[in-house]
Amino acid sequence: MNRYHKPTREEISTICTRPAMDVSALAETVNHIFQKITQYGDAALLDFTEKFDKIKLDHLLVSESEIMGAANSIPVHLQKAITIAHGNITRFHQMQQSEIIKVETSEGVSCWQKSVPIEKVGLYIPGGTAPLFSTVLMLAIPATIAGCEEIVLCTPPDQYGAIHPAILYTAHLCGVTTIVKAGGAQAIAAMSIGTHTVTKVDKIFGPGNQYVTAAKMQAFASGTAIDMPAGPSEALVFADETGHPEFIASDLLSQAEHGVDSQVIFVTTDESLVDRVEAAIEEQISSLPRQEIASLSLAHSHAVSYEDADAAFAFINEYAPEHFIISSDQSESYIDRIKNAGSVFLGNYTPESAGDYASGTNHTLPTNGHAKAFSGVNLDSFCKKITFQHISEQGLAGLGQTIIDMAEAEQLQAHANAVKIRLR
Amino acid sequence: MNRYHKPTREEISTICTRPAMDVSALAETVNHIFQKITQYGDAALLDFTEKFDKIKLDHLLVSESEIMGAANSIPVHLQKAITIAHGNITRFHQMQQSEIIKVETSEGVSCWQKSVPIEKVGLYIPGGTAPLFSTVLMLAIPATIAGCEEIVLCTPPDQYGAIHPAILYTAHLCGVTTIVKAGGAQAIAAMSIGTHTVTKVDKIFGPGNQYVTAAKMQAFASGTAIDMPAGPSEALVFADETGHPEFIASDLLSQAEHGVDSQVIFVTTDESLVDRVEAAIEEQISSLPRQEIASLSLAHSHAVSYEDADAAFAFINEYAPEHFIISSDQSESYIDRIKNAGSVFLGNYTPESAGDYASGTNHTLPTNGHAKAFSGVNLDSFCKKITFQHISEQGLAGLGQTIIDMAEAEQLQAHANAVKIRLR
């Protein structure tokens, strides 16, 4: 880890700058894919799957029997774990439901907001050697609680044309209505544009590689909503003198094993911890199967020490970490200092991996400093809020002159007339 | 108005297609502006202001004395109207504050969400002959209630280098901290990138012309959040047999006077209303100062009739109107049919102009069908929700195996270790 004690403004700026992911270079490729999907629909989707995923499919949709067969391939202990996580995630996201509160802003003028599900949502789950069934939980559970009518899930098939049974099992458990064997930019294009088989959705969610990210930006530009801009995953651990070096090291390694571009930051008000954390990392890393990835990621990680918590938190809020672990026996005393973070893990017994899988919070979170302005995925991500107002005849009599005066000052006479004609 | 009775799928598709605003053609111009602002900061901002707004400024910021002098130029009746609207908008947005609810998802596992203000926000207010002080209310009030620390407002100066006093008066009333004399893509670029005078903000809000829209998309692509994609304003009026033709005509004209690209749709289950509404439009339009604009807009407007409300609402939800007026004595009976809309105006005494100015709801709303997935601006637009979790040692003992099983199934051993090491 690169060490800094009370870094300068320039050093802070360097630490806070994430590796640039310039997806604009992919714009041409992605544009081409969008054009082909627009022109040829399913046929183009099958062609791209053959080209990129090396499998010629007959059908794009996962069949009923594939879904039903999945449970048999999942060990019972994993089924149980998924079910427990499902329960916790459901409880946390159900709690986010809001009641309608009407407010009478003036006499006879009633206003309220109503949360209404987005009708059609698309969930993207990346492929690869490890099946990201946890992301299925994180996206499909709130979509179901919100009441989305159509939930489409796209994920790339393996070289035999199959989807990992853990993904199928979890998707079915969560009530996903349609599972499409398609990945990459072509899957995003299909959900954004719509094909014979793939529903055109209103909003697309989920992680992915740089092509998926570029395709989501293209989808956004052409009118489909997206969950948030994506970037490499990050964790920042803060510890005071009550932090445990072994626990801290394990959290930093959890983040480092994700990928070589993972961002790992350790901030402390106890400089002596830095050596002890580095020693613990050294000890723990040797037994990791993904040791090589973790080492490469740690090579560009940073350890930052400050003398006081105020300065430390000014830096942390500037960094705006996706995952923020507070390793301290007094973790809750720091809460009010937090201005920018995706998800916060409080105390010495709350590892990031708890939130990644099973505590109940969502693991789809803003990276790359976006925590300054974006929330992680939550129930609201699958809804929009519609405002309503009802004005009685007496209410309009009371408020009418205000509307007329303002409309006339903005030189919009028809706006004023709409009131005058009703009060005549 | 173009008339349709029970339109076909193709006709519905035509009606629902808004005029394409292809801002990609402006990308090069906007890119150039972003580059110059990056390189030359304030100097570039002053240059662009001289070029586009035809005024050579010495200072970018509105001075204290300009702000203080504004109140003297605003007629007392308008000051009173703005104050009443300010009160209603404040009451409606204050009601949107949410309390923190903690949920114990498993024994010893506590999770909650906390709404935290976005620190720095930028509000864009377009220039032109009519000062859009109402938009200042709609953006600055929720920003203040949310508790944003820095609220920057950009608006172009007139040919004398001045900002309309109604904008200054309203901005000051709402607690805006900085007012910058800058407009167009250069103002958006300055807020996105930051200059010596203009703070780099985390999120940009507000309407504008096609250059502003293109600049907001560019800002989003480079990491600054935006309120929503913009498009021409729209209103859809639905009426059953209890609708008043004169009231309906006045609402359609309110929308039509906005601009020649305004979208105006009338939907009814009482076909006989169409003639009566057209007659009322004819009668009312002649006295409007913006008659010419309204006529051009009405030329591409649509009147759609259905025999039953189910079919009418299927069409309306497909259109997903920004403003949706329900002209009926039983307006509330239709609420549950509404799936997609920005803001809904219920009953014969609730004109759209009430919500544009003073009922309390926000007038910054999703256009172009975006109401399917986007909310209008509300208090949440100025906050992000940070999730928190705290797990006790016993809590981790209970949930630990679940996390370990899931992490190992995803082949992330360090994630499992972070639990194991704590339970050892």
Side-chain angles (χ1 to χ4, degrees):
Chain A
M1 301 181 94
N2 310 308
R3 294 189 187 200
Y4 302 87
H5 180 64
K6 294 200 280 182
T8 62
R9 276 275 9 123
E10 287 68 36
E11 287 171 331
I12 290 173
S13 168
T14 305
I15 301 170
C16 290
T17 304
R18 275 60 154 194
M21 178 152 78
D22 188 8
V23 298
S24 65
L26 308 177
E28 209 175 313
T29 309
V30 167
N31 238 321
H32 168 78
I33 292 172
F34 270 69
Q35 274 171 26
K36 291 290 175 198
I37 297 287
T38 305
Q39 278 181 283
Y40 302 109
D42 284 347
L45 198 48
L46 289 164
D47 279 353
F48 285 124
T49 303
E50 189 174 355
K51 184 173 172 192
F52 297 125
D53 300 305
K54 315 288 177 214
I55 171 74
K56 196 172 162 66
L57 297 175
D58 294 325
H59 303 287
L60 283 164
L61 293 185
V62 171
S63 70
E64 189 89 353
S65 69
E66 284 175 282
I67 294 172
M68 291 309 155
N72 300 326
S73 321
I74 312 285
V76 174
H77 73 274
L78 184 57
Q79 291 192 20
K80 193 182 150 201
I82 291 173
T83 306
I84 292 171
H86 185 276
N88 285 354
I89 298 164
T90 300
R91 276 183 284 281
F92 183 62
H93 288 79
Q94 267 175 344
M95 176 271 283
Q96 295 165 24
Q97 287 169 313
S98 54
E99 277 174 40
I100 294 172
I101 308 169
K102 286 194 189 185
V103 58
E104 196 173 9
T105 54
S106 292
E107 216 184 310
V109 181
S110 254
C111 300
W112 65 97
Q113 259 192 332
K114 184 182 176 185
S115 206
V116 177
I118 297 173
E119 281 183 270
K120 296 165 192 165
V121 295
L123 316 182
Y124 184 76
I125 305 294
T129 48
L132 292 183
F133 58 87
S134 61
T135 304
V136 179
L137 291 170
M138 296 297 174
L139 299 179
I141 291 174
T144 313
I145 296 171
C148 301
E149 284 173 28
E150 219 168 314
I151 305 172
V152 178
L153 187 153
C154 285
T155 190
D158 66 17
Q159 55 181 321
Y160 308 105
I163 306 295
H164 195 287
I167 288 180
L168 296 182
Y169 175 79
T170 311
H172 182 63
L173 181 72
C174 296
V176 172
T177 49
T178 312
I179 305 171
V180 184
K181 294 180 182 180
Q186 61 273 21
I188 304 298
M191 292 193 282
S192 172
I193 296 157
T195 70
H196 181 70
T197 304
V198 184
T199 303
K200 173 179 165 59
V201 302
D202 303 316
K203 188 168 182 177
I204 297 173
F205 296 79
N209 64 17
Q210 52 189 347
Y211 288 94
V212 170
T213 300
K216 281 173 72 182
M217 292 306 278
Q218 167 81 38
F220 182 77
S222 50
T224 311
I226 61 170
D227 48 359
M228 67 189 84
S233 189
E234 323 157 345
L236 186 150
V237 179
F238 167 79
D240 59 21
E241 68 288 354
T242 63
H244 293 226
E246 297 77 23
F247 299 178
I248 296 166
S250 75
D251 286 331
L252 296 173
L253 284 168
S254 288
Q255 188 56 40
E257 77 171 341
H258 267 299
V260 295
D261 55 359
S262 282
Q263 303 296 299
V264 177
I265 315 274
F266 175 50
V267 180
T268 184
T269 46
D270 178 3
E271 210 184 340
S272 77
L273 266 175
V274 179
D275 279 336
R276 291 183 284 154
V277 166
E278 291 232 67
I281 288 177
E282 199 118 326
E283 202 191 304
Q284 292 175 30
I285 199 170
S286 56
S287 66
L288 291 180
R290 294 167 73 92
Q291 184 184 152
E292 207 172 321
I293 290 171
S295 298
L296 287 167
S297 163
L298 285 170
H300 59 80
S301 65
H302 307 286
V304 183
S305 57
Y306 283 100
E307 271 142 34
D308 62 295
D310 280 348
F313 274 77
F315 166 75
I316 293 164
N317 285 320
E318 180 60 31
Y319 186 82
E322 179 192 14
H323 302 98
F324 179 22
I325 299 107
I326 302 189
S327 248
S328 162
D329 290 341
Q330 299 91 40
S331 60
E332 305 220 6
S333 72
Y334 294 105
I335 289 177
D336 288 341
R337 297 171 187 264
I338 303 170
K339 291 180 181 179
N340 301 317
S343 193
V344 183
F345 300 79
L346 296 165
N348 283 313
Y349 291 90
T350 314
E352 188 205 304
S353 51
D356 287 342
Y357 291 112
S359 65
T361 61
N362 209 291
H363 79 195
T364 308
L365 296 165
T367 55
N368 197 17
H370 288 305
K372 289 181 180 177
F374 285 86
S375 311
V377 163
N378 58 18
L379 189 63
D380 279 347
S381 312
F382 294 88
C383 304
K384 66 265 179 177
K385 294 204 169 138
I386 302 179
T387 50
F388 289 82
Q389 52 237 290
H390 181 275
I391 306 181
S392 66
E393 197 173 343
Q394 290 75 4
L396 192 64
L399 192 62
Q401 195 57 46
T402 296
I403 302 167
I404 291 168
D405 287 342
M406 292 175 76
E408 289 182 345
E410 288 193 356
Q411 298 171 26
L412 293 172
Q413 194 57 51
H415 283 62
N417 284 357
V419 175
K420 288 179 184 172
I421 216 161
R422 283 167 164 91
L423 293 181
R424 208 170 278 157
Chain B
M1 302 180 95
N2 310 308
R3 294 191 187 199
Y4 302 87
H5 180 63
K6 295 201 277 181
T8 63
R9 276 276 7 128
E10 288 68 35
E11 286 171 331
I12 289 173
S13 168
T14 305
I15 300 170
C16 290
T17 304
R18 274 62 155 195
M21 178 153 75
D22 188 7
V23 296
S24 65
L26 308 178
E28 209 175 313
T29 309
V30 167
N31 239 319
H32 169 76
I33 291 172
F34 270 69
Q35 274 171 25
K36 291 289 176 198
I37 296 286
T38 305
Q39 279 181 281
Y40 303 110
D42 284 348
L45 199 48
L46 289 164
D47 279 354
F48 285 124
T49 303
E50 190 175 354
K51 184 173 171 192
F52 297 125
D53 300 306
K54 315 286 177 215
I55 171 76
K56 195 171 164 60
L57 295 176
D58 294 324
H59 302 287
L60 282 164
L61 293 185
V62 171
S63 70
E64 189 90 352
S65 68
E66 284 175 283
I67 295 172
M68 290 309 153
N72 300 325
S73 321
I74 312 286
V76 174
H77 74 275
L78 184 57
Q79 292 192 21
K80 192 182 153 201
I82 291 173
T83 305
I84 291 171
H86 184 277
N88 285 354
I89 297 163
T90 300
R91 276 182 284 280
F92 183 62
H93 289 80
Q94 267 174 343
M95 177 271 284
Q96 296 165 24
Q97 285 169 316
S98 54
E99 276 175 41
I100 294 172
I101 308 169
K102 285 193 189 184
V103 58
E104 195 172 10
T105 54
S106 292
E107 216 183 311
V109 181
S110 253
C111 300
W112 65 98
Q113 260 192 333
K114 184 182 175 188
S115 206
V116 177
I118 297 173
E119 281 183 270
K120 297 164 192 165
V121 296
L123 317 182
Y124 185 77
I125 305 294
T129 48
L132 291 183
F133 59 87
S134 61
T135 304
V136 179
L137 291 170
M138 296 297 174
L139 299 178
I141 290 174
T144 312
I145 296 172
C148 301
E149 286 173 27
E150 222 170 312
I151 305 171
V152 178
L153 187 153
C154 284
T155 190
D158 65 18
Q159 55 180 320
Y160 309 106
I163 306 294
H164 195 287
I167 288 181
L168 297 181
Y169 175 80
T170 311
H172 182 63
L173 182 73
C174 296
V176 171
T177 49
T178 311
I179 305 172
V180 183
K181 293 180 182 178
Q186 60 273 22
I188 304 297
M191 292 193 282
S192 172
I193 295 157
T195 70
H196 180 70
T197 304
V198 184
T199 304
K200 173 177 164 61
V201 302
D202 304 316
K203 188 168 182 178
I204 297 173
F205 296 80
N209 64 18
Q210 53 188 347
Y211 287 94
V212 170
T213 300
K216 281 174 72 182
M217 293 306 277
Q218 167 80 35
F220 182 77
S222 50
T224 311
I226 61 170
D227 49 358
M228 68 188 84
S233 188
E234 322 158 345
L236 186 151
V237 179
F238 167 78
D240 60 18
E241 69 286 357
T242 63
H244 293 226
E246 297 77 22
F247 298 178
I248 297 166
S250 74
D251 286 331
L252 296 174
L253 283 168
S254 288
Q255 189 56 42
E257 78 171 340
H258 267 299
V260 294
D261 55 359
S262 283
Q263 303 295 300
V264 177
I265 314 274
F266 175 50
V267 181
T268 184
T269 47
D270 178 4
E271 209 184 340
S272 77
L273 266 175
V274 180
D275 280 335
R276 289 183 285 153
V277 166
E278 292 232 67
I281 288 176
E282 197 117 333
E283 201 191 305
Q284 292 174 29
I285 198 170
S286 56
S287 66
L288 290 181
R290 294 167 71 91
Q291 184 184 152
E292 208 171 320
I293 291 171
S295 297
L296 287 166
S297 164
L298 286 169
H300 59 80
S301 67
H302 306 286
V304 182
S305 58
Y306 284 100
E307 270 143 33
D308 62 295
D310 280 348
F313 274 76
F315 165 75
I316 292 164
N317 285 320
E318 180 61 30
Y319 186 82
E322 179 193 13
H323 301 98
F324 179 23
I325 298 108
I326 303 189
S327 249
S328 161
D329 291 341
Q330 299 92 40
S331 59
E332 306 221 5
S333 71
Y334 293 105
I335 289 177
D336 288 341
R337 298 171 187 264
I338 303 171
K339 292 181 181 180
N340 302 317
S343 192
V344 183
F345 301 79
L346 295 165
N348 283 313
Y349 291 89
T350 314
E352 188 205 303
S353 52
D356 288 340
Y357 291 112
S359 65
T361 61
N362 209 292
H363 79 195
T364 310
L365 297 166
T367 54
N368 197 18
H370 289 304
K372 289 180 179 176
F374 286 84
S375 312
V377 164
N378 59 18
L379 189 62
D380 279 347
S381 312
F382 294 89
C383 303
K384 65 266 180 178
K385 294 204 170 140
I386 302 179
T387 51
F388 288 82
Q389 52 238 290
H390 181 274
I391 307 182
S392 67
E393 199 175 342
Q394 292 76 4
L396 192 64
L399 191 62
Q401 196 56 49
T402 296
I403 302 166
I404 292 168
D405 287 342
M406 291 175 76
E408 290 182 345
E410 287 192 357
Q411 298 171 28
L412 295 171
Q413 194 57 51
H415 283 62
N417 285 357
V419 175
K420 288 179 185 171
I421 217 160
R422 284 168 164 90
L423 293 182
R424 210 171 277 160

